[in-house]
């Protein structure tokens, strides 16, 4: 039921879209539409949630959200107005899932994650632009020719003689041009010197940009290299580990989204039961577990050892272990069943038994043959670590399967 709905609604792509809206807009609205016995979701643009005609804070309306006048945390509904496409319509609180970020519970609308950084982002952008434009301007000047012990008029005459074109502008000022556009003439006194263009305080500009990047990244607990792409000042081992500020920030956001997504999946299950896909009583027996991916990069060996210890101590199940690795537990079980069947047939053929004579499962008696499964230690291994040929067992994942004549 849930898998079919996820495929139909392209939920994986929508989930990424909702997260982007959460960061940029600070909130997202998801409308639940029930039509033809199915649940369909549609995202509502934040600007389409507005106050209805006559709606004010005095009757509980604020920016399109209707709250209890005596309790700002109790939402009663929303008003959807996709101007100019419709005249607006009220939406019940059960028809909309509203996620808001960067605000407290009693605030009706969310705030963009970039709101408090607007001035810093603008200043950083201008600083980067000025550094870029200044470097480009200096790069256009190949050298500077300094004339010493001469008059300005002589310098101008020299420059005019070197120019490719001269003339007068509309405002009456004269100009001269040079195709190379790579030199600047200045009066510097006696004789003549040629020097390159000064580089300016490039290191100071770069340091200032780095400082601003750290200020911006601190908003989300992010290290500098995640914002600037410069890892020279980063201690990678301390930024992408469990318990780091960035990891805690991500886990906090994931916990909020998990509760919202669990609520949505419960609606999908309830609708499936209503359509007769499974008994309604099963809703009380099913618990939905929403798990977010890990926000840290861990040592794969250490991670595998941790899962193994937890599994041996019955802290996690094999299904949960597979889910943490991003794999489908049902697909894994199907693959192992196929592998076990293939090995069982191989064991039967080794003992001269035709697998086509019967089709049975482990521990089933079919005709003159009995298939048995034995679990436990590898009691049939010889000194070389191999199984004795005369025993002819088929061992799969700690289980040895024997096929023998039935008494």
């Amino acid at each position: 039921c849930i898998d079919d709905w996820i495929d139909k609604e392209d939920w994986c792509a929508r989930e990424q879209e909702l997260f982007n809206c959460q960061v940029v807009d600070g909130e997202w609205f998801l409308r639940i539409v029930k039509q033809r016995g199915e649940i369909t979701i549609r995202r509502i643009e934040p600007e389409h949630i507005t106050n209805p005609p006559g709606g004010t804070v005095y009757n509980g309306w604020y920016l399109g959200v209707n709250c209890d006048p005596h309790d700002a945390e109790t939402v009663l509904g929303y008003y959807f107005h996709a101007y100019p496409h419709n005249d607006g319509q009220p939406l019940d609180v059960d028809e909309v899932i509203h996620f808001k970020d960067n605000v407290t519970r009693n605030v009706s609308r969310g705030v963009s994650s970039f709101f408090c950084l607007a001035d810093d982002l603008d200043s950083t952008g201008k600083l980067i632009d000025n550094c870029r434009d200044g470097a480009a301007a200096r790069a256009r000047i190949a050298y500077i020719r300094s004339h010493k012990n001469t008059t300005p008029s002589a310098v101008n005459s020299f420059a005019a003689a070197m120019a490719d074109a001269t003339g007068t502008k509309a405002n009456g000022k004269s100009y001269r041009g040079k195709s190379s556009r790579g030199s600047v003439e200045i009066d510097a006194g006696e004789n003549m010197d040629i020097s390159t263009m000064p580089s300016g305080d490039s290191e100071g500009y770069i340091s200032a940009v780095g400082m601003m990047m750290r200020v911006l990244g601190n908003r989300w607990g992010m290290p500098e290299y995640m914002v600037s792409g410069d890892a020279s000042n980063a201690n990678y081992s301390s930024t992408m580990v469990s318990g780091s500020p960035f990891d805690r920030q991500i886990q906090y956001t994931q916990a909020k989204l998990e509760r919202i997504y669990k609520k949505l999946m419960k609606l999908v299950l309830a609708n499936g039961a209503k359509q007769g896909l499974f008994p309604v009583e099963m809703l009380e027996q099913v618990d939905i577990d929403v798990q977010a991916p890990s926000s840290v990069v861990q040592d794969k060996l250490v991670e595998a050892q941790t899962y193994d210890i937890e599994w041996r101590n019955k802290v996690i199940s094999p299904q949960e272990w597979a889910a943490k690795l991003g794999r489908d537990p049902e697909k894994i079980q199907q693959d192992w069943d196929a592998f076990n069947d293939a090995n069982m047939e191989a064991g039967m053929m080794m003992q001269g038994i035709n697998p086509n004579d019967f089709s049975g499962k482990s521990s089933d008696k079919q005709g003159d043959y009995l298939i048995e499964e034995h679990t436990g230690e590898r009691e049939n291994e010889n000194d070389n670590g191999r199984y004795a040929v005369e025993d002819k067992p088929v061992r799969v994942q700690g289980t040895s399967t024997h096929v023998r004549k039935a008494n």
Side-chain angles (χ1 to χ4, degrees), residues 51 59-62 64-69 74-79 108:
N51 280 352
N59 52 17
W61 284 98
Y62 182 73
V65 181
N66 185 20
C67 299
D68 186 336
T74 301
V75 178
L76 304 177
Y78 303 87
Y79 192 78
S108 299

Side-chain angles (χ1 to χ4, degrees), residues 365-379:
K365 182 176 181 181
Q366 299 289 340
D368 295 331
Y369 300 98
L370 180 67
I371 305 174
E372 297 178 340
E373 272 195 1
H374 303 278
T375 59
E377 301 297 331
R378 297 182 175 180
E379 66 279 358

Side-chain angles (χ1 to χ4, degrees), residues 225-239:
Y225 76 91
M226 284 190 175
V227 183
S228 65
D230 180 12
S232 59
N233 297 326
N235 182 1
Y236 184 81
S237 61
S238 63
T239 57

Side-chain angles (χ1 to χ4, degrees), residues 26-44:
E27 62 182 350
W28 48 260
F29 296 87
L30 205 60
R31 185 178 181 182
I32 310 298
V33 181
K34 297 181 180 179
Q35 54 185 3
R36 296 187 298 273
E38 295 184 352
I39 287 184
T40 303
I41 56 174
R42 291 293 182 266
R43 186 175 64 86
I44 302 176

Side-chain angles (χ1 to χ4, degrees), residues 339-350:
F339 180 78
N340 291 342
D341 292 341
N343 278 270
M344 184 173 63
E345 291 183 1
M348 295 169 64
M349 295 178 64
M350 289 174 60

Side-chain angles (χ1 to χ4, degrees), residues 85-352:
H85 303 293
N86 60 42
D87 297 330
Q89 57 179 313
L91 298 177
D92 190 74
V93 66
D94 294 331
E95 297 181 68
V96 178
I97 295 180
H98 180 202
F99 179 86
K100 53 187 179 181
D101 203 9
N102 305 313
V103 293
T104 56
R105 291 178 178 271
N106 60 340
V107 178
S108 299
R109 302 292 294 267
V111 176
S112 171
S113 297
F114 299 106
F115 176 77
C116 62
L117 300 174
D119 293 338
D120 293 330
L121 287 169
D122 185 58
S123 300
T124 304
K126 290 180 179 179
L127 178 59
I128 294 176
D129 290 343
N130 293 337
C131 291
R132 178 196 60 203
D133 296 342
R138 289 191 296 270
R140 285 196 297 266
I141 301 176
Y143 61 90
I144 299 176
R145 181 186 288 117
S146 302
H147 299 265
K148 297 183 179 180
N149 196 22
T150 187
T151 61
S153 60
V155 174
N156 290 332
S157 298
F158 178 83
M162 296 291 292
D164 296 330
T166 60
T168 303
K169 297 181 179 181
N171 58 9
K173 295 183 178 181
S174 60
Y175 71 91
R176 58 177 180 269
K178 189 172 180 61
S179 59
S180 64
R181 301 171 62 186
S183 64
V184 175
E185 313 296 334
I186 63 175
D187 179 16
E190 184 179 357
N191 301 323
M192 182 189 302
D193 288 335
I194 296 179
S195 60
T196 59
M197 185 68 179
S199 61
D201 189 17
S202 300
E203 293 296 329
Y205 299 150
I206 294 175
S207 298
V209 171
M211 177 196 69
M212 293 305 300
M213 290 297 181
R214 287 190 289 272
V215 171
L216 296 174
N218 186 62
R219 166 63 182 82
W220 298 281
M222 298 171 62
E224 178 186 353
Y225 76 91
M226 284 190 175
V227 183
S228 65
D230 180 12
S232 59
N233 297 326
N235 182 1
Y236 184 81
S237 61
S238 63
T239 57
M240 289 298 291
V241 297
S242 178
S244 65
F246 181 64
D247 176 46
R248 291 180 180 272
Q249 180 72 19
I250 294 299
Q251 288 184 1
Y252 170 70
T253 303
Q254 288 177 336
K256 294 192 296 183
L257 291 174
E258 286 174 0
R259 291 194 295 269
I260 295 293
Y261 295 162
K262 186 173 183 177
K263 176 182 177 181
L264 177 59
M265 296 307 163
K266 283 186 175 180
L267 291 177
V268 174
L269 275 183
N271 184 73
K274 185 178 180 180
Q275 299 302 318
L277 298 180
F278 54 86
V280 179
E281 294 75 14
M282 288 187 60
L283 293 175
E284 300 179 357
Q285 304 174 7
V286 175
D287 183 29
I288 300 176
D289 184 20
V290 179
Q291 294 186 353
S294 175
S295 60
V296 299
V297 179
Q298 298 181 353
D299 187 312
K300 294 296 184 181
L301 177 59
V302 175
E303 185 179 23
Q305 291 173 340
T306 302
Y307 290 156
D308 183 62
I309 294 174
E310 292 178 347
W311 175 73
R312 291 178 180 275
N313 288 277
K314 299 182 179 181
V315 177
I316 62 173
S317 64
Q319 292 82 356
E320 183 179 0
W321 187 348
K324 287 179 178 293
L325 297 178
R327 299 171 183 174
D328 186 0
E330 293 184 0
K331 180 63 168 57
I332 294 176
Q333 185 61 49
Q334 292 174 2
D335 293 342
W336 273 115
D337 290 342
F339 180 78
N340 291 342
D341 292 341
N343 278 270
M344 184 173 63
E345 291 183 1
M348 295 169 64
M349 295 178 64
M350 289 174 60
Q351 301 187 65

